[in-house]
Amino acid sequence: MDIRPLFSYRRGTSFLHRMSPLFKLLFLFGFTALIFFFPNYVQVYSVFFILLARFIGFSLLDQLRDLKPIIPYCLLLVSLHIFSLLLKTESDIKDSGFLILKLIALMQLSSLFFNTTTSLQLKETLEKILPFRTAALLSLFLFFIPLLFSIWTKLDYAWKARGGKKGLLKFFKLLPIFISEAMYKGEKLMYGLKNRT
């Protein structure tokens, strides 16, 4: 069973792994802007990300796993479109399609960034160009999302290992533990930051 959390770092020696985190951050923000301001080329961006990820050693299966969390949102968008057709209200499938493609492209882009960059690499790079506190806060902000996914993945794996089933019971049982663990991790990070300053 693959229990690798979403957006977790993957070891590698590719040019993207070796690239400066600052350039990768510019790459992240630059392509995000392109996706939003020039959405007509979103298919081109997505194909480019697939080829780039494959070139640096990420299999197509790994890439599909990274897209798994947005499947419910995509299904919801399709369901809303079908529902609007049943109600005979105006709805353009192209709009829903473009939104889904944007989500996919943004997810691919985020995966490329987080899978090839460690929090330490980013923090050390930002500390060279920004005040320490600003650099630390920015790097913590960027990497708190992977931390949350890591916590949930471990809880989910433990739930399945104990024979737990999918459903609302799982959500209500794991959510309080998830919040508690996330707050604990956040507190540790905060104290670590205070000790550094």
Side-chain angles (χ1 to χ4, degrees):
M1 181 185 294
D2 180 23
I3 60 166
R4 187 185 59 81
L6 184 68
F7 293 151
S8 61
Y9 176 74
R10 301 180 189 178
R11 293 183 182 276
T13 57
S14 70
F15 78 95
L16 204 56
H17 285 84
R18 298 191 304 270
M19 185 185 292
S20 165
L22 184 60
F23 286 126
K24 282 189 275 191
L25 200 56
L26 294 174
F27 174 83
L28 176 70
F29 291 139
F31 267 103
T32 300
L34 284 175
I35 290 167
F36 277 104
F37 293 114
F38 301 97
N40 291 336
Y41 301 100
V42 70
Q43 301 98 323
V44 178
Y45 307 143
S46 192
V47 170
F48 171 72
F49 297 144
I50 290 171
L51 295 175
L52 179 59
R54 192 68 198 92
F55 179 73
I56 64 175
F58 299 155
S59 70
L60 292 175
L61 184 59
D62 286 335
Q63 295 181 53
L64 286 174
R65 284 196 188 107
D66 287 343
L67 296 177
K68 188 177 176 182
I70 64 170
I71 291 175
Y73 298 104
C74 296
L75 292 175
L76 177 63
L77 288 171
V78 172
S79 300
L80 288 173
H81 175 72
I82 294 171
F83 187 66
S84 66
L85 289 177
L86 293 174
L87 293 177
K88 296 182 179 179
T89 58
E90 290 186 10
S91 178
D92 191 352
I93 189 64
K94 287 183 179 179
D95 292 336
S96 299
F98 265 120
L99 188 53
I100 289 171
L101 287 172
K102 281 182 186 178
L103 284 172
I104 291 172
L106 289 170
M107 200 69 172
Q108 291 173 303
L109 179 60
S110 301
S111 294
L112 280 170
F113 177 76
F114 287 110
N115 291 165
T116 60
T117 314
T118 66
S119 56
L120 181 61
Q121 287 174 340
L122 181 62
K123 189 169 78 66
E124 288 176 347
T125 301
L126 292 176
E127 283 176 357
K128 294 176 182 177
I129 59 172
L130 295 172
F132 173 78
R133 183 178 292 272
T134 305
L137 288 175
L138 184 56
S139 59
L140 287 175
F141 169 75
L142 286 170
F143 280 90
F144 200 69
I145 295 173
L147 178 63
L148 293 178
F149 277 109
S150 176
I151 293 169
W152 180 258
T153 300
K154 289 174 183 175
L155 290 175
D156 184 54
Y157 180 70
W159 175 263
K160 289 176 181 176
R162 288 170 174 77
K165 306 295 182 184
K166 289 184 178 180
L168 286 176
L169 179 62
K170 171 186 172 182
F171 178 77
F172 286 117
K173 287 278 189 180
L174 294 186
L175 185 62
I177 303 171
F178 172 75
I179 293 172
S180 175
E181 186 70 15
M183 291 180 69
Y184 172 71
K185 295 283 188 182
E187 188 178 39
K188 281 185 68 177
L189 287 171
M190 182 188 71
Y191 283 133
L193 181 63
K194 282 185 177 180
N195 289 336
R196 288 286 305 276
T197 56

